[in-house]
Amino acid sequence: MLDPTITFLNHGSFGAVPKCVFVEQTRWRLRVEAEPIELLARRGPGLLEESRRAIGQWLGMRPEDFGLVTNATDGVNAIVRSMDLGAGDELLTTSHVYNAVRQAMKYAASRAGAGYREIEVTLPAQSPEQVFERVVGGLSPKTKLLVIDHITSPTALVFPVEQIAAECARRGVDVLVDGAHAPGMVPLDVPRVGAAYYAGNLHKWACAPKGCGFLWVRPDKQPGVHPLIISHHLGEGFTREFGWQGTRDVSTWLSVPRALQFMAELQWDRVMAHNHAMARWVQQMLCKAWGVAPISPADGSMLGSMASVPLPAPLDYLTEQEAADLQQRLYTHYRLEVPIMLWGGRALIRPCCQVYNSPEEYDQLATVIARTAGP
């Protein structure tokens, strides 16, 4: 459904809905409007259970172990706002954290008088082992929770979350994985990650409607976790509480099975392999075209379906406003939709790779940026 006049290289922000999924969501909306009490109040819990079963089967989760939320940030907020933090506790993450998650952690820590800290994971990243050593080396006796990205948003790096979670468990530190980009980008069995909590999005690489995510919580942790909106079912169990948080547009979640079916028909393994190969090529091609060094191994071993590449001089150091202006200029003048990220003082561009993209689109990006950076 994307505008064919736009070169859309930003699937990672909000995804893109296939026509059949849009039709499915419209069908559900019409049914809800025709019978609002029947569909929302009486049949709603059972219908959402069917969606949870489809999602759980895909990601290895029991339906009773996860709730449906609007996005991964919603899930992260539910965890940090549910925690019993004190003055001697610390919320810990890395310098690659998504800013909305950073703000949620800071807010929860400040309200409790607890600490907030980021582990500096420098670029270029040499290997998953380097990231692992840096992260676990940053743990302290005060660390109550480590929030770690599965795939980082600004830098597009795949972090070794299973190894990190295993070591944290050995040290008695709970881990919350921000898996905003992981479902549909990399093979994923959520419980096998080994974390206490996992928040993910379905509207990105699973191509579900906007505002669709999940929060998985290990069974022993569920009694202490509550959704951000406390409603009728407080104290009636994890699934009941997350199943009803007031009047919501449930068509989003009810359409997920159709999105999963569509992607399965394309074959998940083929989609992931194609997108990864494209991202690897894009990183190498753009670095060569612009004369910049990659921020992760050139073999693509730390990439999923997108790659962050440093912009060439004089675009390599931009203010937030300059970065926003550049992104808007690329869209307005060249019909290129691609995100500009700022990390550690440097400006990065993060082209995303989905099956509807073609190599020619990234060649266009390379040419436009070289022209923009030129004398």
Side-chain angles (χ1 to χ4, degrees), residues 89-105:
D89 297 324
E90 173 186 76
L91 295 181
L92 183 65
T93 187
T94 77
S95 53
H96 296 253
V97 66
Y98 185 56
N99 189 55
V101 172
R102 171 187 287 119
Q103 300 289 52
M105 295 175 69

Side-chain angles (χ1 to χ4, degrees), residues 12 43 55 58 62 93 118 163 168 214 255 298 304 355 363 371:
R43 295 189 57 201
I55 297 166
W58 178 49
R62 299 189 309 169
T93 187
E118 296 181 13
Q163 294 89 333
C168 286
F214 67 90
S255 304
V355 292
D363 288 334
R371 184 185 305 151

Side-chain angles (χ1 to χ4, degrees), residues 28 35 44 47 72 81-82 160 166 177 279 289 297 303 314 317 323 336 352 358 364:
W28 278 115
E35 304 176 83
L47 292 171
R81 298 282 291 278
S82 295
V177 176
L303 297 180
Y317 292 93
L336 273 168
C352 304
S358 65
Q364 178 191 4

Side-chain angles (χ1 to χ4, degrees), residues 337-354:
E337 186 67 84
V338 60
I340 308 295
M341 304 293 192
L342 299 181
W343 190 91
R346 295 191 68 183
L348 310 172
I349 197 164
R350 193 197 70 184
C352 304
C353 304
Q354 187 51 285

